[in-house]
Amino acid sequence: MDSADGFRPHRVVVLALDGLLPFELGIPHRIFGRPKDAEGRHLYEVVTCSVRPPGPVETDADFSVHVPNGPEALARADTVIVPASYELGPLYTQGVLTDELAAALALIRPGTRLASICTGVYVLAAAGFLDGRPATTHWADAEHFQRLFPQIKVDADVLFIDDGDVLTSAGVAAGIDLCLHMVRRDHGTAVANDVARRTVVPPHRHGGQAQYIERPVPDPQQATTTAARAWALGRLHEPIQLRDMAAQESMSVRTFTRRFREETGVSPGQWLTQQRVERARHLLESTDLSVDQVARDAGFGTAQSMRQHLQAALGVTPTAYRRTFRAAAPADREGSALPHAAVRR
């Protein structure tokens, strides 16, 4: 409901399908239910609906959940999120919607932002929302998904893809990354980081980070690269050499590089660039420092170097990025986004 001053929270509608994963169903509520503006008003309203009238929806656990809204809630959504389901039936085997699901999706207004978590992407694909567009899903389903929907450009090596008005993510925890990314896109880094701190999750995992890492949990008998990463994060404004990072762990450069990639999914150089881009984004959003000073503080050295890296990572210049995120107060930026090319991760 709009307030007297015209403020209305962005309405996120979560579509609960039979066979849903309770964990994934709770992600949008946890992430979007936290952000508030300076006056303490919730920036988002989160609503759960099903394709049927209000009632129970089966989960993949030994309990069902009561969903209080029917499909009509989709007609009032600003963002629709489809979590995974293990009971997609003909949608999973043939790539076709049931009449019930098709009728529900037809209620979504043009221009509504759409997002999926894990196998929820099958719903968006079968409805035609992803034709000719990039998308991702859980790595274990990627090959099957690509065969079923050859018109979609599947990338199984990333956590999430932001293609503007349609966003897709890999499984489970990547849904948290995607929802935090949408909060960051809507209201900036400071708001998203506050949500992450309250949820006790990393504030940002880059969308292009690998889904599947060969050894996600290091052998306790082996050294890790954690200390080197912490050391580097405290010195992003300084030149950092690979040999210096390796020295923090008393490893050879070769061993360190291999171990680093196993643990993070990217090379040390790629990781450093990602961290410097994030530092630059934060400074551009939250300070009045000049572009030259931001470049130095983020470790890029020159404004030209930072411009090239931000253009490659985000598709925009530092000035355009700052203008997007500082042109209005957070509550007025609802639904704002970087240009199409900038949000392809």
Side-chain angles (χ1 to χ4, degrees), residues 5-211:
D5 62 359
F7 171 81
R8 181 180 70 80
H10 183 104
R11 184 175 293 112
V12 176
V13 177
V14 185
L15 179 58
L17 302 173
D18 282 323
L20 64 86
L21 284 66
F23 181 90
E24 292 192 9
L25 179 65
I27 289 172
H29 291 267
R30 182 68 179 179
I31 301 302
F32 293 105
R34 289 288 184 176
K36 296 181 180 180
D37 65 11
E39 298 179 19
R41 299 176 297 190
H42 285 280
L43 295 171
Y44 298 93
E45 173 190 9
V46 187
V47 173
T48 305
C49 79
S50 74
V51 295
R52 301 185 296 273
V57 171
E58 298 301 318
T59 74
D60 75 327
D62 62 346
F63 59 86
S64 60
V65 296
H66 178 82
V67 176
N69 299 286
E72 65 279 354
L74 294 168
R76 302 188 300 274
D78 299 307
T79 293
V80 171
I81 299 178
V82 186
S85 166
Y86 282 157
E87 295 182 14
L88 294 175
L91 179 54
Y92 189 84
T93 58
Q94 303 170 42
V96 295
L97 299 170
T98 63
D99 292 342
E100 187 178 53
L101 182 52
L105 296 176
L107 298 174
I108 298 174
R109 296 173 300 174
T112 300
R113 181 168 62 180
L114 306 173
S116 64
I117 302 175
C118 195
T119 58
V121 73
Y122 282 79
V123 175
L124 301 186
F129 294 123
L130 289 170
D131 288 355
R133 305 181 78 156
T136 193
T137 188
H138 192 287
W139 59 268
D141 287 295
E143 185 176 345
H144 173 266
F145 181 77
Q146 183 67 91
R147 288 198 308 271
L148 201 59
F149 301 104
Q151 72 277 21
I152 297 171
K153 305 170 185 176
V154 180
D155 187 347
D157 295 326
V158 297
L159 295 177
F160 62 83
I161 290 177
D162 180 340
D163 198 44
D165 58 342
V166 181
L167 304 92
T168 55
S169 74
V172 191
I176 299 176
D177 298 310
L178 177 64
C179 290
L180 282 172
H181 170 74
M182 286 193 280
V183 171
R184 183 179 299 106
R185 201 180 91 172
D186 292 346
H187 299 290
T189 298
V191 173
N193 285 356
D194 180 66
V195 174
R197 282 193 299 270
R198 293 176 181 275
T199 312
V200 197
V201 296
H204 184 224
R205 290 198 298 168
H206 194 278
Q209 182 174 322
Q211 275 193 45

